[in-house]
Amino acid sequence: MTNLSPERQRAMLRRMITIRRFEEIASEKFRSGDIYGVVHSYAGEEAIAVGVCEALRDGDQIISTHRGHGHCIAKGADLNRMMAELYGRADGYCKGKGGSMHIADFSIGMLGANGIVAGGISIITGAGLAAQMDGNGAVAVGFFGDGASNAGPFHESINIAAAWKLPVIYVCENNQWAVNVPALESVATPNVADRAKGYGIPGIIVDGNDVFAVHNAAVDAIARARAGQGPTIIEAKTYRHRRHTERLDQPDARPSEEVNAWLQEDKDPIQRMITTLQMQEDLLPPTVLENLKTVVENELAEAVSFAEKSPFPTKESALQDVFAE
Amino acid sequence: MTEMKELSYVDAIIEGIAEEMVVDPKIFHMSTEAPRRLQEEFGFPRVRQTPIAESALTGMAIGAAAGGYRPIVDWRLVTFCFVAMDQIVNQAAKIHYMFGGQTRFPLVFRTTVGGGTRRAAQHSQSPYSMFMQLTGLKLVLPSTPADAKGLIKTAIRDDNPVVFFEAGRLGGVKGPIPNGDVSIPFGKADVKREGKDVTVVALAWMVHEALAAAEELSKQGIEVEVIDPRTLVPLDIETIRSSVFKTGHLVIADEAPAAASVSADIAARIVEDAASFEALKAPISRVTGLDAPIPYSPSLEDYVFPDRSRIIEAIRRIL
C-alpha cells in the first residue's frame, strides 16, 4: 500500500525500467567490448534503489557499492555521463578514470560507487556526521550487500552512528550471495537486520522486490533520522538476476533452479510493480506503459550515442586530478 | 624584535590546530583521546572523543570532508592506523582522482611515528615510505616545534588528504615558536645547519642526532650541512641537490629500515640525475634502522635504531 500520487508511482516505475534497460545495455556493450574491465549488474534489485531514493530530498546523500548503476540512476544521475564513463570516455562522470565501479555525482549527493566491499559504509557515516553538524535535517543513506554486513566497517560504523544518533540509514541489499558465498552459510544470524539489536537501533526487514514496501520502510527510517533519533538498518531481501559480474570467465555458484525461480514474473520487482499499478483503475493504461518504455529506450539510445561520440581522454589527463590544486 | 615563546612539539601542533579552528568553523578534531586544550577551547561537537575504531573514523573523515568540513583525525600511534588501511589506501588516497576530481577532500590524519620509547614492535614504527607509494596523500614529518606548528596549519588549509606524521620521541621537546600566523609551505626543505663538507639529509628525530653529530665533527674541522625535508610528499629534492653540488658528499639518516624507504628514494633521485651524480665525490651512505621489528629491551632497541655515532661513522666513511 502506498499513498504516493499516481505521477510519482509512474515516475518510480520509469526509473526502475531505466535501471533494468541500462543494465541490459551495459551487459550487451560489455560483451561487445565497448565497456571494459568489469560490470556488476543491478538487474533484479531495482525496487530497493528506487524505493529508498524516492523518499529522499535534495541535500540528502547516498553512497553505493560495486553494483552501483541503479543507485546513480535512482538518485538522478545523468545517463549520458554514466554511459560515457562506462565507455571510458572524456565526458564520463569521472573523465574516464573510474569506470563502472566508481561513478559518483557529488552535485546530487551521490558519493560514489565503491570497488571495495564495505568500503563506503564508514564514508556515508561521516556524511551523516556532517549532516548532523549542519543541523538542517539532511540524512545519509548507505547501500551495501549481505557480504559487506560481515565485514568490520559495518560494525564500527553502525556502532558510532548509533552512539552519536547520526542521521544515517543503512540499507542492506541482501541478494543472498556475496560473490559466490551464500548468505545462509556466512551470515551468523537468520537476518542481517537482527544485528540492529546489538546497536540498540531498529532493524527492519522488507521484501526488497516490493518497491512500495521498501519505500514505506525508508520513509519511516528517514523520518526517524531527520528527527534526531538516529540510524536504522533496513534489510531488503532480494536477488540478483545476473551472476556476480558480467565476466563469463568467472563461475556462478548459484543453483540454476534458484536463479530461475527468482527470474519468474511473480518475483520480478518491475513486473510486480506493473501488476500492482494495473490493478488500480486508470493508473497505468497499456498505452501509458508502452509510451513510458519508449521514452526510456530513446533516452538510453541517446546515452549510448553520447558515449560513442565522446572522445577518449588525452594521455596528459592521466596525471591530472591526482591532487586538488 | 619581540621575544619568541617556547612550546613543546605537541603543544605547538595543538596551538596550530587551535588557531586554525578559530578562523575556520568547518574544522573539527576526532580522536580516542581529545587534546585538553582543544576540548577546553572548543569542546563538543568540534572536539570529539571517539570509540577506538580507526577504520570507521578514517572513513568518516572522508565523508565529512565531502560534506564541506575539514576534519582532523588523530590515529595516535601509526601502528593503530593499519586497521584502517582500506580507508587510507583505497578511499582517501584515490577518491579525488578516481571520481575525476569532482570534489575536494580536505582532511588531516595525525599520527605519531618512531620509537625509542620502550614500547616494542606494535607501538613503534616509522612506515612513512609505505605511504609514499599511495599517490594521492601529502605526507608531513616535522622535526621541530616551529616546523610542526607551521606545517599543521598548512596541512589543515590544504584541500587534499594529508598524513601528518609526528615524531613520538620529540613530543615533549621544547623549541622557540615564531610570533603570529606563520604557516610553512609544503615541499620546502629546511637547511637546519650550513656546512661545506658533507650533506646529511635527516628525518624527524634523526635531524637532532645529525645536528649533534655536526656539532662534534665541527670541532674536528668537518663542516656538516643538515637538511630536513619536512614534507615527504611533496619532496624538495632541489634543495638536497643544491647541497650535494656544494659538498659532493651525501649521507641520509632515517629511523626507518633501508629497504624501499625515503632514504632509498632520495639516493635514487640524486644518482639518476646526471648533474648531481657527477657532483658526488664518494658513494652515498645511508644510516637507517636495522631490519627487525622494534624490540622492547633498551639494549636491543638502542641497537636497532641509528644515532649520532652512526651518522659520524657514515660521514667518516665517505669523506
Side-chain angles (χ1 to χ4, degrees), chain A residues 7-318:
Chain A
E7 290 75 25
R8 283 182 72 185
Q9 293 185 52
R10 284 191 290 265
M12 289 164 76
L13 177 63
R14 175 173 156 179
R15 285 209 163 156
M16 286 171 64
I17 294 173
T18 304
I19 295 171
R20 176 69 56 86
R21 288 295 298 135
F22 185 96
E23 295 300 45
E24 287 170 354
I25 292 167
S27 299
E28 179 193 319
K29 298 299 181 187
F30 179 78
R31 284 193 296 276
S32 65
D34 295 299
I35 296 173
Y36 315 95
V38 68
V39 166
H40 303 84
S41 172
Y42 194 67
E45 306 183 28
E46 297 90 345
I48 304 168
V50 171
V52 171
C53 289
E54 185 63 25
L56 297 175
R57 60 190 191 205
D58 288 351
D60 293 334
Q61 298 187 301
I62 67 167
I63 207 160
S64 178
T65 68
H66 52 285
R67 202 173 301 288
H69 307 160
H71 307 120
C72 289
I73 293 171
K75 194 71 167 78
D78 179 76
L79 298 173
N80 291 1
R81 293 181 67 197
M82 283 183 68
M83 194 64 82
E85 187 59 35
L86 297 193
Y87 270 66
R89 305 301 173 99
D91 296 307
Y93 261 114
C94 313
K95 307 176 193 167
K97 288 178 169 125
S100 166
M101 279 188 290
H102 303 304
I103 298 179
D105 184 347
F106 288 81
S107 70
I108 60 167
M110 163 57 191
L111 303 193
N114 205 301
I116 304 297
V117 168
I121 300 180
S122 53
I123 299 175
I124 200 65
T125 304
L129 174 60
Q132 187 189 61
M133 290 194 291
D134 285 341
N136 59 12
V139 302
V141 176
F143 292 99
F144 56 93
D146 45 294
S149 80
N150 294 332
F154 172 91
H155 166 67
E156 285 193 17
S157 301
I158 299 180
N159 178 63
I160 292 181
W164 295 0
K165 293 206 180 314
L166 299 182
V168 185
I169 297 90
Y170 296 95
V171 179
C172 177
E173 303 175 320
N174 184 350
N175 65 23
Q176 307 178 48
W177 288 84
V179 189
N180 281 322
V181 179
L184 274 176
E185 293 173 17
S186 56
V187 181
T189 47
N191 307 291
V192 171
D194 297 344
R195 292 171 171 166
K197 290 192 194 81
Y199 308 107
I201 63 171
I204 311 296
I205 299 168
V206 292
D207 177 348
N209 286 15
D210 177 348
V211 70
F212 298 119
V214 172
H215 181 258
N216 289 339
V219 166
D220 290 347
I222 291 165
R224 200 172 165 273
R226 291 203 206 285
Q229 294 172 319
T232 299
I233 296 174
I234 296 175
E235 178 183 6
K237 306 271 195 189
T238 187
Y239 202 80
R240 59 174 143 81
H241 282 186
R242 308 285 299 175
R243 56 179 56 216
H244 173 59
T245 87
E246 292 304 299
R247 296 185 75 105
L248 299 178
D249 57 350
Q250 292 178 350
D252 187 359
R254 303 176 305 167
S256 53
E257 318 81 71
E258 181 183 295
V259 177
N260 289 334
W262 280 93
L263 289 173
Q264 300 308 306
E265 286 201 348
D266 64 336
K267 291 267 194 190
D268 185 295
I270 294 175
Q271 281 308 319
R272 286 177 62 183
M273 188 182 192
I274 290 172
T275 305
T276 305
L277 264 50
Q278 285 176 337
M279 284 193 304
Q280 301 162 72
E281 207 175 335
D282 292 337
L283 216 155
L284 191 65
T287 50
V288 171
L289 178 59
E290 282 316 305
N291 185 40
L292 187 153
K293 287 181 175 173
T294 307
V295 170
V296 168
E297 227 44 54
N298 290 343
E299 277 181 351
L300 288 168
E302 159 62 21
V304 169
S305 165
F306 177 85
E308 286 171 347
K309 283 184 204 143
S310 175
F312 280 98
T314 61
K315 285 174 191 162
E316 295 72 40
S317 73

Side-chain angles (χ1 to χ4, degrees), chain B residues 155-228:
Chain B
I156 293 168
R157 294 175 194 177
D158 199 283
D159 278 340
N160 294 281
V162 178
V163 183
F164 194 86
F165 296 107
E166 303 171 17
R169 259 202 280 196
L170 291 172
V173 173
K174 290 193 170 185
I177 301 288
N179 295 306
D181 178 19
V182 181
S183 65
I184 295 172
F186 286 175
K188 206 165 175 338
D190 190 36
V191 179
K192 295 294 185 194
R193 179 188 176 112
E194 290 193 16
K196 60 178 173 39
D197 298 321
V198 57
T199 302
V200 177
V201 176
L203 304 178
W205 174 259
M206 295 305 287
V207 171
H208 302 274
E209 291 297 296
L211 289 170
E215 193 63 36
E216 186 156 337
L217 288 172
S218 177
K219 292 174 199 154
Q220 298 157 39
I222 299 170
E223 294 306 328
V224 179
E225 180 142 300
V226 178
I227 296 176
D228 175 4

Side-chain angles (χ1 to χ4, degrees), chain B residues 5-8 10-22 29 33-44 47 110 149 153 177:
Chain B
K5 65 179 170 188
E6 286 228 321
L7 279 179
S8 77
V10 162
D11 287 344
I13 293 166
I14 298 301
E15 179 163 287
I17 295 172
E19 287 178 6
E20 293 301 303
M21 285 182 76
V22 167
H29 190 282
E33 197 150 330
R36 189 189 294 174
R37 175 175 171 183
L38 296 183
Q39 219 163 19
E40 285 170 1
E41 249 181 90
F42 304 97
F44 187 84
V47 179
R110 296 177 56 206
K149 182 182 170 186
K153 291 166 82 75
I177 301 288

Side-chain angles (χ1 to χ4, degrees), chain B:
Chain B
M1 197 174 141
T2 52
E3 203 174 308
M4 286 204 280
K5 65 179 170 188
E6 286 228 321
L7 279 179
S8 77
Y9 183 90
V10 162
D11 287 344
I13 293 166
I14 298 301
E15 179 163 287
I17 295 172
E19 287 178 6
E20 293 301 303
M21 285 182 76
V22 167
V23 177
D24 187 346
K26 290 293 188 182
I27 301 165
F28 69 98
H29 190 282
M30 297 199 287
S31 62
T32 56
E33 197 150 330
R36 189 189 294 174
R37 175 175 171 183
L38 296 183
Q39 219 163 19
E40 285 170 1
E41 249 181 90
F42 304 97
F44 187 84
R46 294 184 67 197
V47 179
R48 287 170 179 265
Q49 187 131 350
T50 71
I52 302 170
E54 292 83 1
S55 170
L57 295 173
T58 303
M60 286 172 69
I62 298 167
Y69 284 84
R70 304 184 88 87
I72 303 168
V73 171
D74 185 0
W75 292 324
R76 310 198 69 215
L77 300 183
V78 74
T79 48
F80 301 164
C81 88
F82 295 153
V83 300
M85 271 298 168
D86 170 56
Q87 291 300 321
I88 301 166
V89 180
N90 283 315
Q91 315 296 341
K94 299 174 182 172
I95 201 164
H96 178 74
Y97 181 85
M98 77 184 184
F99 293 141
Q102 279 185 49
T103 198
R104 287 155 192 259
F105 299 90
L107 47 98
V108 177
F109 300 120
R110 296 177 56 206
T111 186
T112 57
V113 293
T117 51
R118 315 308 185 210
R119 287 193 281 181
Q122 292 178 341
H123 284 58
S124 313
Q125 200 157 350
S126 304
Y128 20 79
S129 72
M130 279 170 53
F131 293 77
M132 291 174 76
Q133 281 277 328
L134 312 177
T135 312
L137 302 175
K138 294 190 178 178
L139 307 180
V140 185
L141 181 62
S143 69
T144 68
D147 286 352
K149 182 182 170 186
L151 288 164
I152 192 75
K153 291 166 82 75
T154 305
I156 293 168
R157 294 175 194 177
D158 199 283
D159 278 340
N160 294 281
V162 178
V163 183
F164 194 86
F165 296 107
E166 303 171 17
R169 259 202 280 196
L170 291 172
V173 173
K174 290 193 170 185
I177 301 288
N179 295 306
D181 178 19
V182 181
S183 65
I184 295 172
F186 286 175
K188 206 165 175 338
D190 190 36
V191 179
K192 295 294 185 194
R193 179 188 176 112
E194 290 193 16
K196 60 178 173 39
D197 298 321
V198 57
T199 302
V200 177
V201 176
L203 304 178
W205 174 259
M206 295 305 287
V207 171
H208 302 274
E209 291 297 296
L211 289 170
E215 193 63 36
E216 186 156 337
L217 288 172
S218 177
K219 292 174 199 154
Q220 298 157 39
I222 299 170
E223 294 306 328
V224 179
E225 180 142 300
V226 178
I227 296 176
D228 175 4
R230 302 196 290 195
T231 61
L232 305 178
V233 176
L235 180 67
D236 177 8
I237 200 71
E238 283 313 310
T239 295
I240 299 170
R241 287 178 72 229
S242 301
S243 180
V244 169
F245 289 141
K246 179 168 71 173
T247 66
H249 296 90
L250 178 60
V251 171
I252 309 164
D254 180 15
E255 286 182 337
S261 61
V262 179
S263 63
D265 191 53
I266 291 172
R269 294 205 210 185
I270 291 299
V271 297
E272 71 190 3
D273 175 86
S276 49
F277 177 70
E278 282 290 319
L280 286 172
K281 296 171 192 154
I284 295 168
S285 185
R286 293 190 287 158
V287 180
T288 66
L290 305 183
D291 287 321
I294 304 308
Y296 162 67
S297 177
S299 65
L300 300 176
E301 185 175 34
D302 292 345
Y303 174 67
V304 165
F305 274 120
D307 59 8
R308 62 193 70 179
S309 66
R310 282 189 207 164
I311 294 173
I312 290 171
E313 282 168 28
I315 291 170
R316 287 241 166 81
R317 203 161 52 236
I318 62 168
L319 272 184

